[in-house]
Amino acid sequence: MTKQEFQKMASERILILDGATGSNLQKRGMPYGVCTELWVTEHPEVMKGLQEEYIAEGSNIVYAPTFSGNRIKLAEYGLLDRMEELNQKLVEISREAAGGQALVAGDLTMTGAQLAPMGEMSFDTLREVYEEQIRLVAGAGVDLLVIETMMSLQETRAAVLAAKKVCDLPVMATLSFKENGKTLYGVSARAAAVVLWGLGVDAVGLNCSAGPDQMLSVVKEMKEVTDLPLIVKPNAGLPKLLEDGTTGYDMDAETFAGHMETLLEAGADIIGGCCGTTPEFIGEIAKTAAKHPKQKREPKADGIYLASEREVFRFTPGQKLLIGQGIDYSRNEELVEEYRDEIFDTAVDLAFEMEEEADILRICGAAEGLLEEEVALAAAEELAMNTHMPLMLASERVETIAYVLEHFSGIMAIQWNHNLEEWETQIKSMAKSYHAPIVTIDNEIIYC
């Protein structure tokens, strides 16, 4: 399926996803604690039967059970050498179940490895992990990709960038938000929507973590900042311990569908169920969707967005910006010395001073004896975490711009320098790829 085909389909009708996989497989005999991916390949008739039921109840898209089929998770079960085989078989099972009546999405999620600096995994290595699995599921014949149950925006970015590098399939992305509208890692719904929209995903939203009665605010926040189709795939309410010692959920199918109708009215376009939902739940929401007219998504007013993981900043195209001296490592030896000691106190203090006198915070990482791209990125991440200002990268090196745009966990602007005219094509191409605006020599902010 092409991106254009997916976008057309999503614009014409409400799409119905499937429901839970793991909780239903456990009801059908899968033991706790086993590798789901291996168990499914050993009991394909169970998975196939479940997905056939979802399709019979109205699912337009089913998720292939490749959820944790990446090298990191499979290695924990001693199955790394079977990674290609397992992903291939898992997709085949879902394709057989779909039988041409539904699309099959290759399913990816968090690897469990922590990105630096919290852990030891580098962003580039993580992206390669996703590239590896995406090649396998794409090669096995999935129609689209879904990156789901994410809590880290940076890990979601790694998966999206991997998909863009490996294939041209449509990509859906959903994160898990708490009651406060943020993920466990503190990512806001608005920021997630803006950043992933900028990277070119085809639909964005939320799944798992909560029931549909707790997702309204997140849907509204995402709708404010993106025209993308919005995905909602909630749990069947809150978990509860059943008499037999297993986990159940407190919402029945009819109640679930009632709350989903509210979310459809708020702007949800693609709906399904996560933990605790069954084919019955999908049948009920399919009936609800059939009675609900597809909302026309009006294009957003012209705006330029920058974002950190926590905040979104909106500018008007062509707006003249007030730009202060900024955080300039080429002119401040104290900044350089602190960077060598992995400290950013002076940079943060300077940023606080500029909050009242500048529209955007300029960062220049050029300093003798240091790698400019590493300095600029480290400063940007620290300032995004500790201040409330949009960021702009100033550099005369294409390599620095490319590196920072790829690795920064939000969206930052690029300062256009008249000395870079010979690199104009490269810089505009990078800006478009990351949806990064450019600040011209006249201090106007524009999209390419």
Side-chain angles (χ1 to χ4, degrees):
M1 167 172 262
T2 67
K3 286 177 171 286
Q4 293 75 18
E5 289 169 340
F6 176 84
Q7 290 160 7
K8 183 176 185 296
M9 183 174 67
S11 69
E12 293 175 344
R13 59 190 170 118
I14 296 165
L15 297 179
I16 308 298
L17 303 173
D18 59 12
T21 295
S23 57
N24 285 300
L25 292 179
Q26 287 167 354
K27 289 179 182 177
R28 300 178 187 213
M30 186 178 76
Y32 287 91
V34 301
C35 174
T36 300
E37 290 69 26
L38 178 62
W39 191 89
V40 168
T41 62
E42 293 172 341
H43 304 82
E45 70 287 348
V46 179
M47 186 72 219
K48 185 179 176 184
L50 175 62
Q51 292 188 321
E52 286 173 344
E53 289 178 33
Y54 281 134
I55 294 167
E57 292 287 356
S59 291
N60 306 121
I61 302 172
V62 294
Y63 289 12
T66 53
F67 188 69
S68 295
N70 60 75
R71 82 161 83 138
I72 295 173
K73 281 295 185 183
L74 291 179
E76 294 176 7
Y77 292 97
L79 295 170
L80 182 56
D81 60 338
R82 298 183 63 183
M83 181 177 171
E84 181 174 359
E85 170 203 346
L86 291 174
N87 278 278
Q88 176 74 37
K89 287 183 177 180
L90 293 167
V91 173
E92 287 176 358
I93 291 167
S94 292
R95 282 171 57 83
E96 288 177 13
Q101 299 179 63
L103 300 175
V104 175
D107 193 7
L108 301 94
T109 191
M110 294 184 72
T111 65
Q114 290 282 357
L115 277 170
M118 293 175 63
E120 298 181 357
M121 176 73 69
S122 73
F123 182 83
D124 292 332
T125 300
L126 180 61
R127 190 189 61 244
E128 291 169 1
V129 169
Y130 284 120
E131 286 176 14
E132 186 176 40
Q133 188 182 10
I134 292 169
R135 282 194 186 94
L136 295 177
V137 297
V142 298
D143 299 295
L144 68 158
L145 300 171
V146 59
I147 302 160
E148 66 157 335
T149 324
M150 306 298 283
M151 292 177 283
S152 161
L153 181 56
Q154 189 68 321
E155 187 157 356
T156 312
R157 290 184 72 255
V160 172
L161 290 173
K164 291 175 70 172
K165 182 176 179 180
V166 168
C167 65
D168 296 320
L169 292 173
V171 176
M172 304 193 302
T174 57
L175 290 86
S176 293
F177 294 91
K178 300 186 296 181
E179 291 182 24
N180 64 0
K182 297 182 184 297
T183 73
L184 186 64
Y185 286 49
V187 179
S188 77
R190 288 165 58 88
V194 165
V195 172
L196 296 175
W197 180 33
L199 286 181
V201 302
D202 301 280
V204 68
L206 64 162
N207 80 291
C208 202
S209 183
D213 53 326
Q214 299 179 38
M215 292 187 165
L216 183 59
S217 62
V218 173
V219 171
K220 287 181 175 179
E221 286 184 26
M222 286 188 165
K223 187 180 178 182
E224 287 177 3
V225 295
T226 181
D227 298 324
L228 288 176
L230 295 179
I231 308 163
V232 184
K233 205 171 192 282
N235 293 344
L238 296 173
K240 61 181 181 179
L241 187 63
L242 302 178
E243 291 182 2
D244 62 1
T246 61
T247 300
Y249 290 82
D250 67 357
M251 199 172 284
D252 61 29
E254 187 175 346
T255 305
F256 184 87
H259 288 295
M260 292 297 279
E261 184 168 15
T262 301
L263 297 175
L264 287 170
E265 292 168 352
D269 303 280
I270 304 174
I271 60 174
C274 204
C275 301
T277 60
T278 66
E280 181 187 2
F281 282 69
I282 300 308
E284 287 296 325
I285 65 170
K287 292 174 189 174
T288 300
K291 297 182 293 185
H292 196 283
K294 170 69 178 175
Q295 287 192 21
K296 279 194 173 183
R297 300 295 297 278
E298 296 296 332
K300 297 294 177 193
D302 287 342
I304 291 176
Y305 292 99
L306 300 179
S308 67
E309 291 192 357
R310 299 177 304 156
E311 298 180 75
V312 171
F313 310 92
R314 186 183 182 278
F315 296 90
T316 302
Q319 179 179 338
K320 283 244 182 184
L321 303 181
L322 294 174
I323 302 173
Q325 178 182 353
I327 311 301
D328 193 339
Y329 283 79
S330 68
R331 299 182 181 182
N332 190 320
E333 187 60 33
E334 187 176 3
L335 289 174
V336 173
E337 291 304 314
E338 286 192 359
Y339 173 79
R340 294 183 192 278
D341 294 330
E342 300 182 355
I343 298 172
F344 296 89
D345 292 351
T346 298
V348 172
D349 289 344
L350 288 171
F352 284 148
E353 293 174 10
M354 294 176 207
E355 281 188 348
E356 299 299 324
E357 58 188 56
D359 295 318
I360 196 166
L361 185 59
R362 177 181 180 272
I363 299 173
C364 175
E368 187 175 350
L370 299 177
L371 287 175
E372 180 186 357
E373 57 266 35
E374 293 185 358
V375 175
L377 178 63
E381 295 288 9
E382 191 73 20
L383 292 164
M385 192 186 323
N386 290 288
T387 70
H388 300 279
M389 292 191 73
L391 304 179
M392 176 182 71
L393 172 66
S395 176
E396 296 185 0
R397 294 179 68 246
V398 171
E399 296 84 358
T400 296
I401 295 170
Y403 183 87
V404 175
L405 289 183
E406 178 178 359
H407 292 81
F408 178 61
S409 59
I411 299 177
M412 65 194 311
I414 308 166
Q415 186 173 46
W416 183 257
N417 188 313
H418 66 283
N419 294 326
L420 297 177
E421 288 180 3
E422 72 253 45
W423 297 331
E424 181 174 348
T425 300
Q426 286 178 272
I427 291 172
K428 285 186 175 181
S429 176
M430 285 187 291
K432 287 180 180 179
S433 183
Y434 295 96
H435 212 60
I438 285 176
V439 178
T440 70
I441 193 170
D442 299 318
N443 291 347
E444 291 184 356
I445 188 166
I446 61 171
Y447 279 137
C448 291

